[in-house]
Amino acid sequence: MIDGFNRKIEYLRLSVTKKCMEKCIYCSKDDEKCAVKGEELPAEAFIKIADACAKLHINKVRLTGGEPLLRHDLEEIVRGIYDLNNYKDITITTNAQLLAGKAAALKKAGVNRCNISLDSLKPDVYKEMTGGDLNKVFKGIEAAFNESMLPIKINTVLIKGKNDGEIDDFIELAKQYPLSVRFIELMPVGDMLLTGISNEKIIKEHKYLLPLNTDEKSSGPAKIYTAKGFKGNVGFISPITNCFCSSCNRIRVTSDAYLKPCLGNEAEYSLKEALSLDTNELAKTISEIIRKKPQNHTFSDVFNADRKMKDIGG
Ligand code: SAM
């Protein structure tokens, strides 16, 4: 559907859980400050929301969190959404800690692609930044390749003094492997005492990377670059230095049933009551909220998000 600023909204991001086994320094530090307004929705509620969104011509869905693979019924959610016969693209964003053991079942249920978060190629730095095990991420990436969940996108958030010395190593990864390594600028969601790295600066310092003309459907908000001899490519997602709000096509639903029309704005609307209505009525409620989607994010103002990214679904 078209929102109040003439943007075509066609992409639903469902945060299926706020739980995560990792504790990323920019995402879930100060866990006790996380706003939890209600219980996590059951599988059938997520499927009903996806069904209602399908009626609004939303045709792409991503399952995120928290860590979506911690939901024991994730396959049920995926299969239910797949069976709606509306979503051509069912994707997940995962830290890959559990992916090696679950990739085959998820693929069978209907997941066609995955984005894998990977903030360091050094085991000790990875552990320090996330609390996780780097080796499991590599095994997860291998499993995703084996299941042809392609193209595999690697999400990297660069933090000054932590992993910003690894920029060239990540670019090398895109040279050696058919992966899309995407640098996502740090967004000030929740209390943020860390400093991110500007994508503009990286692009300026890596002049051998040349922009690729890609359609927005496959690359989303990422500006894609590559160079001679590269098997993969490098993407830059720059909500801070190159805001893409004018082409934002997405809405988010939290695991406790709040619809957030904009990641970088505190407004959120409960779907709880509407979930007890029939799917057409739920679609009507969602469409009314989509019309309230703000024109721009408010990251540059003082943005005191009540929720952490893991509640909203990054
Ligand atoms: N647990 C899953 C994972 O790690 O991929 C999914 C949820 S996580 C919140 C989704 C993505 O949001 C990750 O790639 C993470 O790096 C990104 N993210 C979290 N907080 C962020 C922030 N403040 N700024 C930019 N990206 C952030």
Side-chain angles (χ1 to χ4, degrees):
M1 73 168 274
I2 305 295
D3 76 357
F5 296 95
N6 215 23
R7 294 169 296 202
K8 193 173 177 190
I9 306 303
E10 49 194 354
Y11 183 10
L12 168 67
R13 294 172 72 104
L14 293 172
S15 176
V16 293
T17 180
K18 66 174 186 58
K19 296 190 193 94
C20 190
M21 70 290 254
E22 290 199 332
K23 298 280 167 272
C24 297
I25 51 171
Y26 51 81
C27 185
S28 55
K29 208 167 151 259
D30 293 335
D31 244 3
E32 70 281 3
K33 289 190 186 159
C34 280
V36 185
K37 300 185 182 173
E39 293 297 308
E40 269 174 22
L41 291 172
E44 58 272 19
F46 287 114
I47 297 163
K48 185 167 177 177
I49 291 168
D51 194 11
C53 286
K55 294 187 189 303
L56 303 174
H57 306 291
I58 289 173
N59 55 28
K60 182 177 170 187
V61 65
R62 175 172 299 278
L63 305 181
T64 177
E67 175 48 43
L69 272 64
L70 282 179
R71 282 268 321 206
H72 62 88
D73 56 358
L74 185 63
E75 283 158 61
E76 191 188 325
I77 299 173
V78 172
R79 199 170 302 110
I81 294 176
Y82 182 85
D83 287 344
L84 297 172
N85 277 326
N86 171 74
Y87 291 93
K88 285 166 277 163
D89 213 15
I90 303 179
T91 57
I92 51 170
T93 299
T94 175
N95 58 33
Q97 293 294 294
L98 300 173
L99 188 58
K102 298 194 179 194
L106 286 170
K107 175 75 191 215
K108 200 164 167 228
V111 171
N112 49 321
R113 283 191 302 110
C114 59
N115 289 7
I116 295 177
S117 303
L118 175 57
D119 288 331
S120 176
L121 299 170
K122 298 177 182 168
D124 55 333
V125 179
Y126 183 81
K127 181 103 192 156
E128 188 200 330
M129 288 186 72
T130 69
D133 178 348
L134 182 60
N135 206 27
K136 289 185 180 164
V137 185
F138 291 145
K139 293 221 162 82
I141 294 174
E142 201 182 330
F145 263 120
N146 290 342
E147 294 301 328
S148 302
M149 290 170 148
L150 303 174
I152 295 172
K153 297 180 182 176
I154 302 294
N155 288 350
T156 303
V157 179
L158 293 167
I159 307 286
K160 200 169 179 185
K162 299 286 181 194
N163 57 352
D164 56 335
E166 296 184 55
I167 296 172
D168 289 323
D169 300 338
F170 276 108
I171 294 175
E172 184 65 24
L173 200 66
K175 182 176 181 185
Q176 300 288 341
Y177 299 97
L179 294 166
S180 185
V181 173
R182 293 131 39 100
F183 294 115
I184 305 178
E185 282 178 346
L186 179 70
M187 288 173 265
V189 178
D191 298 334
M192 188 58 68
L193 299 170
L194 302 161
T195 308
I197 303 293
S198 131
N199 277 342
E200 255 179 15
K201 184 169 175 281
I202 305 175
I203 295 169
K204 266 195 201 132
E205 288 172 357
H206 294 80
K207 292 223 174 349
Y208 64 91
L209 290 174
L210 300 171
L212 256 184
N213 277 335
T214 47
D215 70 301
E216 245 177 56
K217 277 218 154 50
S218 61
S219 58
K223 297 268 177 275
I224 306 295
Y225 285 67
T226 193
K228 202 163 171 241
F230 271 48
K231 291 190 175 145
N233 58 55
V234 181
F236 294 92
I237 302 182
S238 315
I240 307 300
T241 59
N242 200 349
C243 145
F244 40 83
C245 298
S246 64
S247 59
C248 182
N249 63 353
R250 55 194 67 189
I251 55 169
R252 292 177 158 81
V253 176
T254 64
S255 59
D256 54 354
Y258 284 79
L259 198 161
K260 276 188 80 72
C262 170
L263 173 64
N265 186 293
E266 284 195 71
E268 55 183 38
Y269 305 86
S270 176
L271 295 178
K272 270 274 166 59
E273 276 180 31
L275 269 166
S276 61
L277 306 174
D278 74 29
T279 313
N280 286 322
E281 285 300 313
L282 176 60
K284 199 168 151 229
T285 303
I286 293 173
S287 73
E288 281 159 10
I289 300 171
I290 289 177
R291 281 196 195 93
K292 297 181 195 162
K293 184 174 163 78
Q295 186 169 19
N296 290 305
H297 67 60
T298 49
F299 285 139
S300 55
D301 306 333
V302 182
F303 177 69
N304 259 328
D306 207 13
R307 292 181 184 263
K308 293 278 177 188
M309 192 72 101
K310 72 191 192 76
D311 301 315
I312 304 168

